[in-house]
Amino acid sequence: MKKINTPFLKIFGVVLLVLLSSCDFNKVSDAADDFRLIIGLEPIHTTPSVLITDATTGDLISGNVTITFAGQNGADVIDIYSDPISQDEVSDGILNFGIDNSLAPSESSPVKIQLILEANGYQQKSRTIIITEEGSPDFYVKMLKENSGPYPDGIQKTTNTQGSAGNDGAIQENFVVESPSNQDGNGTSLEVPEGSVFLGANGSPLRGSLRTELTYYNPSADKVFELLPFELTDNDGNPIQAAGVNTIRIMDENGNLATSLEAMSKQKAASAGEISVSFSLPDGFKKPDGSSVKIGDEIFIFTFSHSFQLTEVVSETVEVLANGKTGVVFNTTTLPYAVVTGYALTELSASCPAQLTIERNGNSGALIGSAYSTGFFVEVQIGSSNNEFTFIAPNAEVNIDIQTATTTHSVTANFCAQPNVTVNLPTPPPNIIDSSVNITLGCAAPDEKISITDLPAASVAYRKSSAAVGTPWRLAENLEWEYDEDEQALTGVGFNITGVEQDEEYTFKVSFDGNTYQQDVAITGSSVTYEETINEDICQ
């Protein structure tokens, strides 16, 4: 619901009463003709922005993306009118929202919101954003296209149609799905015994031909865990160093998705109602303390539900598998969406606290990047007013990538040997500048004005117009909306952009309340002005 400027309505009401009491109905008519509602939007202290991109191309997703807000503070999400929302939809890859002003995020009391993103043709994705201060923090989410191989390195999807369920839902014969199918490589296998019954979300059994999709994420591939549909952390937020990750999707011929498992009959198979997942460990996989995993050691199995929640953690013993490889077998009477084998990185696991200190050397603005090694991935985010980032790392060589406006700078370090690592970013070229931009706003109809006092939970994304495919979009900082009291209209917005090339053209995307206005503008110097015409119902 839009919140109308109450003082304005009261004043207008007084005018009407005075005019009515004088019985001059011509003046009443004139006042009504001049009447224009001014929407007085409340300031919102915390307004995150999320750029949603295609994992392969790196560009903003242009189709509809539905976002459900969940997790610890999912109920505290609001729209630009300060009304609570549980879901939103964007079509430009830019998500803006607010956090209820009753919350004041801090390092000791962070706001945590789980975003569950769905888009046609893409894998469903879960991402929890953690907000530690008021303002307009930036976040980035990559979504992977579904069934559009070849997949990026390290992702192997196997589809199997051998399974079949009878009219009672019972699996008629044992079937096994292996991924990768070439057992010379690392991978997993899923075994389903006859007599098992898969149930859909409505509790009804799946029937007929079954389609099983087993997707394996190889921990030896660089940054492969960045593309997982869920976050590789335990319930305390500790990262998991994984020796293997698998997602499991089983559907019947009517497209019903299996979400649970039971045994219809154990007369045919004593193991009915229990699936078995086996992982072959990558050669040389090490524990968080740096020691090699050996036969007889314990390793942990983490299972995640279809709602991306960590549901179970059990320990299993490393053994020699049927294919001769070293690995682990996990039997379960539930049907997890994902099965992960590995170790949570905590103080008890002999992992190490890690701190990055950034020497900017003229690189202004927010910085993003990643820290990764075999089976490990952490996203690095450093705000424009900050130069440090801390996390937990395994006792291994960790690769650090930091993205600047012009390049990606990489270093390698073992944080157990060197807890604090300084990253000296390269000095940007002399034609790279920062600039302040001011947009003059107007309405398409010349007799209309933008009838709001502020526009919170909005953002401006920008990128060089001639940028190569995959060049990341960045978000402008310090948005200030300009309301003219005399005109009773929103007339403009000012903001700062960093690391842009002088005399080059940039594309700006102004996004608010599900609307986006795009324009190409030349960066002529440290101050740039251009005009944008708004054609929305906020114009009156």
Side-chain angles (χ1 to χ4, degrees), residues 216-285:
Y216 173 66
Y217 296 79
N218 190 334
S220 300
D222 287 348
K223 295 194 278 191
V224 68
F225 292 156
E226 181 181 23
L227 304 178
L228 283 174
F230 57 97
E231 291 163 294
L232 204 56
T233 59
D234 67 10
N235 283 331
D236 294 322
N238 298 309
I240 296 172
Q241 182 184 8
V245 176
N246 246 113
T247 60
I248 303 167
R249 284 171 55 89
I250 300 175
M251 291 161 286
D252 67 11
E253 55 196 29
N254 295 316
N256 298 311
L257 177 68
T259 58
S260 60
L261 172 71
E262 66 177 27
M264 178 66 71
S265 169
K266 291 201 174 185
Q267 296 176 354
K268 294 183 177 181
S271 59
E274 181 177 81
I275 62 171
S276 178
V277 185
S278 64
F279 285 87
S280 57
L281 303 182
D283 294 337
F285 182 77

Side-chain angles (χ1 to χ4, degrees), residues 46-62:
T46 307
T47 55
S49 296
V50 183
L51 296 186
I52 307 167
T53 61
D54 184 293
T56 303
T57 67
D59 215 344
L60 295 170
I61 294 178
S62 57

Side-chain angles (χ1 to χ4, degrees), residues 177 203 381 443 475 533:
V177 185
Q381 279 195 273
C443 293
L475 286 163
T533 301

Side-chain angles (χ1 to χ4, degrees), residues 52-53 55 66 68 113-119 122-129 140-147 151-152 154-157 213-218 223-233 244-249 257 304-310 336-340 377:
I52 307 167
T53 61
T66 300
T68 301
I113 299 168
Q114 182 188 21
L115 309 177
I116 299 176
L117 303 99
E118 298 177 83
Y122 286 86
Q123 281 187 357
Q124 191 179 21
K125 179 89 172 187
S126 171
R127 165 73 191 280
T128 297
I129 63 172
Y140 301 81
V141 176
K142 294 182 179 181
M143 296 187 71
L144 185 64
K145 280 189 175 176
E146 191 79 79
N147 301 320
Y151 284 105
I155 300 177
Q156 173 82 32
K157 183 175 180 177
E213 297 175 353
L214 194 63
T215 304
Y216 173 66
Y217 296 79
N218 190 334
K223 295 194 278 191
V224 68
F225 292 156
E226 181 181 23
L227 304 178
L228 283 174
F230 57 97
E231 291 163 294
L232 204 56
T233 59
V245 176
N246 246 113
T247 60
I248 303 167
R249 284 171 55 89
L257 177 68
F304 292 81
S305 69
H306 285 79
S307 59
F308 305 107
Q309 304 300 313
L310 177 59
Y337 167 67
V339 182
V340 177
F377 178 86

Side-chain angles (χ1 to χ4, degrees), residues 28-105:
V28 173
S29 177
D30 292 342
D33 291 339
D34 292 338
F35 175 69
R36 185 166 60 88
L37 288 177
I38 307 298
I39 303 173
L41 298 183
E42 302 172 10
I44 302 175
H45 301 154
T46 307
T47 55
S49 296
V50 183
L51 296 186
I52 307 167
T53 61
D54 184 293
T56 303
T57 67
D59 215 344
L60 295 170
I61 294 178
S62 57
N64 288 341
V65 181
T66 300
I67 304 96
T68 301
F69 303 104
Q72 173 181 302
N73 297 110
D76 298 307
V77 174
I78 57 177
D79 61 13
I80 68 170
Y81 307 109
S82 295
D83 291 328
I85 53 173
S86 60
Q87 196 174 79
D88 201 358
E89 185 174 286
V90 298
S91 59
D92 52 12
I94 305 173
L95 171 66
N96 303 299
F97 60 94
I99 305 299
D100 192 282
N101 284 342
S102 63
L103 297 180

Side-chain angles (χ1 to χ4, degrees), residues 158-241:
T158 300
T159 301
N160 182 293
T161 56
Q162 293 178 358
S164 179
N167 290 331
D168 59 0
I171 301 300
Q172 296 178 324
E173 293 184 4
N174 295 0
F175 68 94
V176 177
V177 185
E178 296 179 338
S179 180
S181 56
N182 177 7
Q183 287 303 304
D184 291 337
N186 298 317
T188 63
S189 68
L190 168 70
E191 183 175 351
V192 180
E194 63 176 317
S196 302
V197 177
F198 293 111
L199 304 177
N202 62 0
S204 299
L206 274 62
R207 298 182 177 89
S209 298
L210 300 180
R211 174 188 173 94
T212 302
E213 297 175 353
L214 194 63
T215 304
Y216 173 66
Y217 296 79
N218 190 334
S220 300
D222 287 348
K223 295 194 278 191
V224 68
F225 292 156
E226 181 181 23
L227 304 178
L228 283 174
F230 57 97
E231 291 163 294
L232 204 56
T233 59
D234 67 10
N235 283 331
D236 294 322
N238 298 309
I240 296 172
Q241 182 184 8

